[in-house]
Amino acid sequence: MTPGTGPSLVVDVRAWGASGQAVAGRPRRDLSARIAGLLAEGDVDGVYDSRSAVAAAVALGAVAAGWSREDYAAALRSVAHVPGSAGEWVERPARRARRRSPADQERRIATTWRRAVERWHAHPPAVDRPSLGLELAEIRHAMDLHPGMWGGQAGMGNRAVMEALLGIAERAGRLDPTASIRQIAEHTTVTDSTVDRAVDRLVELGWVRINAGAGFVLAGEEAPDGGRAGRALARQLHLLIPAALPAGVDPDTLANPATGELPALRPTSAGVHDVFTWRGLGGVAGTLYARLDPRQPVAVGLLAARSGFARGTVRTHLRRLAEHGLAVATGGGWVRGAGDLDQVAGELGVAGTLAQREERHEVQRARYTAYMTMFANRRGWRQQRGLYRPAGQQRLDMPVQRSGGPLVVPIQAA
């Protein structure tokens, strides 16, 4: 019997991976450009830790492309003669009178393939833009049906980070993009520390899963002194819907009484502006402003139901928006005002806050990369074997977190 078939619709993933068959329902196609490059040339960018990791990445790409294990093995053997390729380890030449036996080759290929099938079933990626759009729409719909999870200051930060991650995933074309805390913060009005705490909360709630942690690797050609350039790796965050969500609210309570549309009001990027930083009107005001429509009035009760904030909180921040012309009360509710955000930011003294934060992040990234590159080149066997030979003795100073000055890497003469 074919693995995964029979009276039960539950797929035995391990048995399917051991069988070597292509995943059911996956039409066979060519490998993506990135995976094809890994197969033919290997890890030229220094992203992976070993050749086995490269072979595993190629196996996962082959599973997603609808290949079988035989197709994967044939592809590895076709590039086994190319130095540095993903298949170099399959039929490598004799080294110190040791050669990989055919049985060992088959065993390693079978193990790598089975693990790739299990990983693909554990969190299958969206393979095209339409599928990705449907996945993101399902996540947003689940978020809309649980507005109580996004109320309060913590909930507001969680929602801001989720919206930022959804936007990053959409631009990256995948549900598991890589993003650092600073990169996420640059798509919100909250601070880095708030983003850090919000990610931890979202992981605990089940909206986000960390597939791979942050790290630092050396990549590229060696310099004359034996050093190599460094590359920082951000965390890989997988967006999903929690397995155990409480019962959602009645959709009728979220529908606009005037139009009956659901959802008619979604947060937009308009709420990411200097005005809505913590020294300005704040994130709650930004959340409400992003939900207001310039033409269709929205009642306070509907805004409260959609956002998860109490009605009193919504009224307070709507009045603050109205003081600066960013919201207008009408007979049927509130609409977005015609006030200029840049002008309001100047009046509040917060103009340029987000741009200054991006500049500070650039300095921090440069300091961190310089420090970790020097540290990674000086550690372990590279220095012990004399492969790293700097012109002078370099002193490592841990980079500071906040600095507007130029990047300086201190060097102490020998």
Side-chain angles (χ1 to χ4, degrees):
M1 180 180 293
T2 303
T5 63
S8 174
L9 297 179
V10 178
V11 176
D12 188 341
V13 177
R14 188 177 183 85
W16 198 294
S19 71
Q21 299 181 33
V23 174
R26 305 292 301 173
R28 195 183 190 286
R29 58 177 176 81
D30 294 335
L31 297 176
S32 66
R34 185 179 69 87
I35 298 299
L38 284 177
L39 174 66
E41 303 174 6
D43 184 20
V44 295
D45 295 327
V47 176
Y48 297 89
D49 297 333
S50 62
R51 287 176 300 191
S52 297
V54 176
V58 174
L60 186 60
V63 171
W67 288 24
S68 66
R69 187 175 64 202
E70 292 182 359
D71 297 331
Y72 170 65
L76 290 180
R77 292 194 174 95
S78 68
V79 295
H81 63 286
V82 180
S85 69
E88 183 185 11
W89 59 269
V90 177
E91 297 179 358
R92 64 186 181 188
R95 295 175 182 173
R96 297 180 183 178
R98 178 177 177 268
R99 185 181 181 86
R100 193 179 301 282
S101 66
D104 189 25
Q105 297 175 24
E106 294 298 331
R107 180 186 62 80
R108 295 215 34 200
I109 290 175
T111 300
T112 303
W113 179 262
R114 175 177 55 78
R115 290 175 178 172
V117 172
E118 293 174 358
R119 178 175 174 80
W120 189 90
H121 278 90
H123 37 82
V127 297
D128 50 37
R129 288 288 178 177
S131 298
L132 176 67
L134 291 175
E135 294 278 359
L136 297 180
E138 288 293 329
I139 295 174
R140 283 194 171 101
H141 183 65
M143 293 167 62
D144 287 337
L145 292 182
H146 296 83
M149 303 184 70
W150 316 109
Q153 287 296 326
M156 183 273 295
N158 293 351
R159 181 77 191 228
V161 170
M162 276 298 295
E163 292 293 342
L165 287 175
L166 289 168
I168 292 173
E170 188 173 7
R171 289 186 292 273
R174 56 189 303 165
L175 284 173
D176 56 348
T178 56
S180 68
I181 295 300
R182 291 177 176 84
Q183 289 171 336
I184 298 172
E186 289 169 3
H187 292 87
T188 71
T189 58
V190 297
T191 62
D192 310 351
S193 58
T194 300
V195 172
D196 196 9
R197 292 191 297 271
V199 170
D200 290 340
R201 290 193 296 265
L202 291 170
V203 170
E204 184 177 355
L205 292 171
W207 292 99
V208 174
R209 180 177 63 218
I210 300 178
N211 286 349
F216 192 89
V217 296
L218 295 177
E221 299 293 332
E222 290 187 353
D225 63 358
R228 299 174 65 192
R231 178 182 179 185
L233 303 178
R235 288 190 296 187
Q236 186 180 42
L237 304 175
H238 193 120
L239 300 177
L240 42 85
I241 299 176
L245 274 176
V249 300
D250 183 358
D252 291 338
T253 63
L254 302 180
N256 193 327
T259 63
E261 295 179 354
L262 175 72
L265 305 172
R266 283 199 187 280
T268 65
S269 59
V272 182
H273 194 276
D274 296 331
V275 174
F276 305 117
T277 55
W278 68 276
R279 284 192 173 94
L281 297 181
V284 176
T287 300
L288 298 177
Y289 178 82
R291 288 180 175 273
L292 290 176
D293 188 271
R295 294 175 297 275
Q296 180 64 45
V298 184
V300 171
L302 179 59
L303 277 175
R306 286 287 179 80
S307 63
F309 299 118
R311 293 194 178 201
T313 301
V314 172
R315 291 192 185 95
T316 298
H317 288 279
L318 286 175
R319 294 191 190 101
R320 296 182 65 200
L321 290 170
E323 291 174 0
H324 299 279
L326 301 179
V328 178
T330 65
W334 290 79
V335 295
R336 183 181 297 179
D340 184 77
L341 291 175
D342 293 336
Q343 181 179 349
V344 175
E347 296 172 355
L348 296 175
V350 295
T353 299
L354 299 182
Q356 293 172 7
R357 182 178 63 179
E358 291 184 11
E359 294 176 0
R360 184 171 68 248
H361 287 173
E362 288 298 324
V363 172
Q364 293 172 357
R365 292 187 185 103
R367 286 175 175 261
Y368 173 78
T369 301
Y371 172 84
M372 289 302 300
T373 300
M374 193 184 305
F375 181 82
N377 275 301
R378 288 185 57 177
R379 67 179 300 186
W381 64 272
R382 291 184 58 76
Q383 181 163 343
Q384 293 174 10
R385 297 180 62 181
L387 298 181
Y388 183 50
R389 305 173 301 280
Q393 181 182 357
Q394 301 187 6
R395 184 179 75 252
L396 299 180
D397 286 352
M398 189 64 183
V400 296
Q401 290 298 312
R402 295 182 178 274
S403 174
L407 170 65
V408 178
V409 180
I411 298 179
Q412 179 179 348

